[in-house]
Amino acid sequence: MSDNQTSLTPNTREIDITKKTVKMQVSATDKIISTIIYILFSLFAFICVYPFYSIIINTISANDLSAKGEIIFWPKGIHFQNYIDVFKIPGLGNAFMISLGRTVIGTLLTVGASAFLGFMFAQEDMWGKKFWYRFTIITMFFNAGIIPWYLTMRSLHLTDNFLAYILPSVVAPFFIILVKTFVEATPKELQQAASIDGAGIFTIFYKVILPISKPILATVAIFSAVNQWNSFQDTLLLVTDSKLYSLQFILYNYINQASSLSTMVNLQNAGSTAMATLATKQTSTSIRMTVTIIVVAPILLVYPIFQRFFVKGIIIGAVKG
Amino acid sequence: MRSQSMRSNSFRKFLYISPFMLLLAVFAYYPLYGWVYAFFDYTPPIPLSASEFVGFKWFHSLVENQVKIDQLMQVIWNTFGISGLGILFSWLPMIFAIFLTEIKAVRFRKFIQTVTTLPNFISWVLVYSLAFSMFSSEGMVNGFLHMTGLTDSPTMFLQSSEHVWWTMWAWATWKTLGWSAILYIAAIMGIDESLYEAAYVDGATRMQVIRHVVLPSMMPTYFVLLMLQIASFLNNGLEQYFVFQNAFNKDTIQVLDLYVYNLAMGGGSYSVSVAISMLKSVISVVLLFSVNGLSKMLRGEGIV
């Protein structure tokens, strides 16, 4: 009872939802429900984290143990040779540069375009504004399909071309909505004052809008960077030149090899010689896992820093979008 | 005079955005021209200009014999099954959000939210890599079952056609549940404080507050998201099914997007594949507008 008394005083440090829940009467069934909630959420959190954890401990454990799937909770026979070996794989460094390059260039262009277009669509007087805004937004719900898209890209000579990674993603309707909503929520007077002082549209954009839009632009940047880093389908469809392979594509090839090998074992129709050649060609389990860690590492590193940030960003956008 | 300068100013503003509109025209609208491939007898090395115009031949070919009909029906059945499971459990993120906000320990709640949104930010290739490390015949799960003596021979989790719809649903849920809950959390934070006050005054228990205050406030958000999900019923996406497909589960995992890809890139049947793509896009647009109309009728506002 005394617990309830103290918690009735408003707790200003915390966000609303805590205030709402602490005032509730605590009955026996409530306690049972609470316990169940805690257990279920802990379980789901475990399921979300364990796969990452298990791969990490496998990459630093003795390779023969991890190949048999015996590393479950703790690393055994710790070593870091896998991380040294993995950098010797030909093509991996190049794929890393491709992934990094498309992420940096693509993100810069997407953020710039989203900021500018979001700002422009928040302008009241633009020729055909309503039409062009719809022209942009409709593409979120409608596309021709991947094969017509592939055939178009081919006819534009964008197959085996680095630009194919960048150009299609520059105009991103969802990000434009986010920025437009944000700019529309800022005081009109800011832009008007600058305009009276003789500032042109680019000056207003650069000096007034960009500085105040930092939070939403950071959200757009992180989403766009994650999209670029994770992108796989465009390499799959458009690229045959191994110089343009991304990390995701290389990783997929490794798992696919491993997967076809175990498929053959599973089918039990493979001749022993074919099996032997495949087995020697196949990338070892620990190397495959190490590549996985290298591909996922940037996300794992960046994610905790930006998590709260983009949750706020998406909520700002969700209000309208 | 003044209005003329304003008009030229407003046109100048359009000129500034025109390069971007051109990009959009090229990458989002020009591919629609690719639909003409569906009406030609197109085989890759021969250019379209030298290909024969065949009208609706490829559309007819989809249903010309029982084998093809069966194949297409299986693909549509898979698409419906997997999308259907998603829609059947579309309330999960809402429940997730409601119970998450019920957790009083702030740190625990923030930890759970952080951890459960993480999978949303990794690619399907990475998800498959995790899945393969966990569930392949040499993976951790089989290793664990073997060590504890529960099984002798490894279980083929990934290389089986059994329960594929469910495993695909489970992976998709694992990846997106925490993230999808965020919109509902935003909606819960927006609930008017006085509604809670009124409920306490009436002596409502926790579950009663959830049932009579929180749930009804979630309904508009749920409805919009459900409608969008129904509108994109045919678009399961390619990546998830592409990475998880293998010789064993191929028949039950092939959704329309994967089927279209396999037909063109695997079999070289571009024209048929474009024909299916085209039908799919048209049906999707019809679905979107129907759902939008339905939403306008029921709630007085559209979703698009």
Side-chain angles (χ1 to χ4, degrees):
Chain A
M1 199 58 216
S2 65
D3 266 19
N4 271 339
Q5 284 299 326
T6 50
S7 55
L8 267 172
T9 55
N11 185 348
T12 45
R13 279 185 307 129
E14 269 319 314
I15 35 174
D16 291 342
I17 48 171
T18 317
K19 246 181 1 190
K20 282 168 185 169
T21 49
V22 289
K23 288 186 221 160
M24 236 141 323
Q25 297 168 357
V26 179
S27 71
T29 47
D30 281 350
K31 273 186 187 155
I32 297 169
I33 292 166
S34 287
T35 318
I36 296 173
I37 293 174
Y38 273 71
I39 292 171
L40 284 180
F41 274 114
S42 305
L43 206 66
F44 189 62
F46 175 77
I47 295 172
C48 287
V49 173
Y50 178 73
F52 298 96
Y53 170 75
S54 80
I55 292 213
I56 292 172
I57 58 170
N58 267 281
T59 58
I60 56 169
S61 294
N63 290 354
D64 56 328
L65 291 176
S66 76
K68 280 184 272 175
E70 287 184 9
I71 307 298
I72 313 264
F73 295 113
W74 311 112
K76 285 173 199 159
I78 293 176
H79 70 102
F80 296 95
Q81 190 58 38
N82 289 331
Y83 286 89
I84 298 164
D85 290 346
V86 90
F87 284 105
K88 292 179 192 153
I89 298 176
L92 199 78
N94 185 59
F96 186 83
M97 290 316 288
I98 291 289
S99 282
L100 190 71
R102 68 174 292 175
T103 302
V104 172
I105 301 169
T107 304
L108 284 175
L109 287 177
T110 306
V111 171
S114 307
F116 185 63
L117 290 172
F119 163 68
M120 291 305 282
F121 281 128
Q123 300 284 310
E124 269 149 25
D125 58 325
M126 183 171 71
W127 182 74
K129 185 186 114 171
K130 212 171 183 180
F131 173 80
W132 294 113
Y133 187 60
R134 287 206 180 132
F135 181 80
T136 309
I137 300 308
I138 283 172
T139 60
M140 250 182 3
F141 300 100
F142 178 70
N143 62 68
I146 53 165
I147 300 305
W149 187 77
Y150 162 75
L151 293 167
T152 305
M153 295 296 275
R154 214 180 50 181
S155 70
L156 296 168
H157 301 287
L158 283 170
T159 47
D160 281 331
N161 187 336
F162 184 74
L163 288 175
Y165 287 149
I166 311 284
L167 290 180
S169 62
V170 169
V171 183
F174 179 66
F175 298 154
I176 294 168
I177 296 179
L178 286 186
V179 179
K180 178 177 179 268
T181 313
F182 186 88
V183 173
E184 277 170 350
T186 62
K188 282 271 169 296
E189 289 76 18
L190 279 177
Q191 290 185 49
Q192 279 164 4
S195 176
I196 288 164
D197 289 346
I201 193 109
F202 288 110
T203 318
I204 296 176
F205 171 64
Y206 189 72
K207 292 244 167 82
V208 180
I209 296 301
L210 274 191
I212 56 172
S213 308
K214 269 184 199 151
I216 197 73
L217 294 185
T219 307
V220 171
I222 190 75
F223 279 139
S224 156
V226 168
N227 284 347
Q228 284 284 357
W229 184 262
N230 279 340
S231 193
F232 166 71
Q233 202 166 303
D234 45 13
T235 319
L236 177 73
L237 280 162
L238 305 172
V239 172
T240 49
D241 181 359
S242 63
K243 283 198 186 78
L244 288 171
Y245 284 174
S246 62
L247 272 182
Q248 304 282 345
F249 194 75
I250 298 248
L251 176 64
Y252 174 75
N253 283 343
Y254 283 155
I255 322 163
N256 198 30
Q257 267 177 20
S259 163
S260 6
L261 178 73
S262 52
T263 300
M264 287 179 78
V265 176
N266 207 3
L267 280 169
Q268 289 183 331
N269 62 358
S272 55
T273 43
M275 281 294 309
T277 43
L278 238 180
T280 45
K281 267 207 247 161
Q282 200 232 338
T283 320
S284 78
T285 307
S286 35
I287 288 295
R288 202 185 65 234
M289 287 178 175
T290 313
V291 175
T292 305
I293 293 300
I294 289 180
V295 180
V296 83
I299 289 176
L300 292 184
L301 291 176
V302 161
Y303 175 75
I305 307 168
F306 288 98
Q307 195 266 141
R308 274 201 297 174
F309 207 45
F310 56 65
V311 166
K312 273 188 200 123
I314 200 78
I315 286 171
I316 296 170
V319 174
K320 207 180 171 197
Chain B
M1 190 64 199
R2 186 160 173 266
S3 87
Q4 201 181 354
S5 89
M6 273 170 75
R7 211 177 304 146
S8 82
N9 188 34
S10 98
F11 189 72
R12 187 139 22 95
K13 281 184 179 168
F14 162 70
L15 285 183
Y16 296 145
I17 69 159
S18 60
F20 298 100
M21 295 302 106
L22 189 70
L23 270 181
L24 210 55
V26 170
F27 291 112
Y29 289 94
Y30 179 61
L32 293 175
Y33 169 75
W35 281 1
V36 299
Y37 285 84
F39 303 99
F40 283 85
D41 189 3
Y42 172 71
T43 3
I46 305 159
L48 186 68
S49 51
S51 303
E52 191 195 344
F53 179 80
V54 291
F56 285 93
K57 180 187 164 193
W58 300 114
F59 293 90
H60 285 301
S61 83
L62 289 174
V63 288
E64 74 187 356
N65 63 45
Q66 197 56 40
V67 181
K68 285 190 176 167
I69 293 175
D70 286 349
Q71 199 180 19
L72 196 63
M73 285 315 285
Q74 178 68 43
V75 170
I76 291 171
W77 181 234
N78 294 340
T79 308
F80 277 43
I82 293 174
S83 290
L85 279 183
I87 288 169
L88 199 64
F89 289 97
S90 57
W91 45 269
L92 260 178
M94 178 170 67
I95 299 299
F96 184 94
I98 290 174
F99 285 114
L100 186 74
T101 51
E102 285 295 312
I103 292 175
K104 293 177 200 167
V106 182
R107 278 197 178 177
F108 182 70
R109 194 178 64 226
K110 287 199 170 143
F111 171 75
I112 297 285
Q113 211 193 331
T114 308
V115 159
T116 54
T117 36
L118 173 62
N120 186 59
F121 291 90
I122 67 169
S123 65
W124 277 112
V125 174
L126 280 164
V127 172
Y128 183 57
S129 181
L130 298 179
F132 191 78
S133 303
M134 306 287 296
F135 294 106
S136 70
S137 46
E138 296 88 25
M140 270 78 90
V141 173
N142 273 315
F144 181 74
L145 291 175
H146 184 71
M147 274 163 74
T148 49
L150 286 168
T151 54
D152 294 330
S153 58
T155 314
M156 299 294 165
F157 292 105
L158 296 170
Q159 288 156 347
S160 121
S161 61
E162 276 172 59
H163 320 299
V164 171
W165 295 358
W166 285 100
T167 45
M168 288 303 104
W169 169 80
W171 282 110
T173 303
W174 177 78
K175 194 171 185 293
T176 59
L177 183 59
W179 179 251
S180 319
I182 285 180
L183 281 183
Y184 292 105
I185 294 173
I188 292 173
M189 305 245 241
I191 296 176
D192 190 354
E193 192 80 8
S194 61
L195 288 175
Y196 285 92
E197 309 276 339
Y200 308 139
V201 172
D202 292 343
T205 65
R206 216 157 155 191
M207 289 313 279
Q208 283 170 326
V209 172
I210 291 174
R211 196 180 314 142
H212 299 291
V213 177
V214 184
L215 262 184
S217 317
M218 296 293 96
M219 279 307 150
T221 312
Y222 177 66
F223 191 80
V224 170
L225 294 180
L226 181 67
M227 287 292 176
L228 285 174
Q229 208 176 344
I230 292 171
S232 58
F233 199 78
L234 295 181
N235 304 308
N236 307 76
L238 170 66
E239 255 176 84
Q240 178 185 2
Y241 311 98
F242 176 81
V243 294
F244 273 96
Q245 73 174 338
N246 56 47
F248 296 91
N249 61 21
K250 202 172 174 180
D251 286 338
T252 42
I253 206 174
Q254 260 196 148
V255 291
L256 273 166
D257 286 318
L258 181 58
Y259 184 59
V260 163
Y261 174 86
N262 285 342
L263 265 182
M265 307 314 255
S269 321
Y270 286 93
S271 295
V272 181
S273 166
V274 172
I276 301 175
S277 250
M278 187 176 161
L279 287 177
K280 197 177 83 97
S281 296
V282 171
I283 295 171
S284 293
V285 167
V286 172
L287 262 177
L288 182 69
F289 282 110
S290 328
V291 156
N292 198 42
L294 185 71
S295 167
K296 272 188 184 148
M297 209 169 72
L298 293 172
R299 305 173 53 241
E301 61 178 312
I303 49 169
V304 190

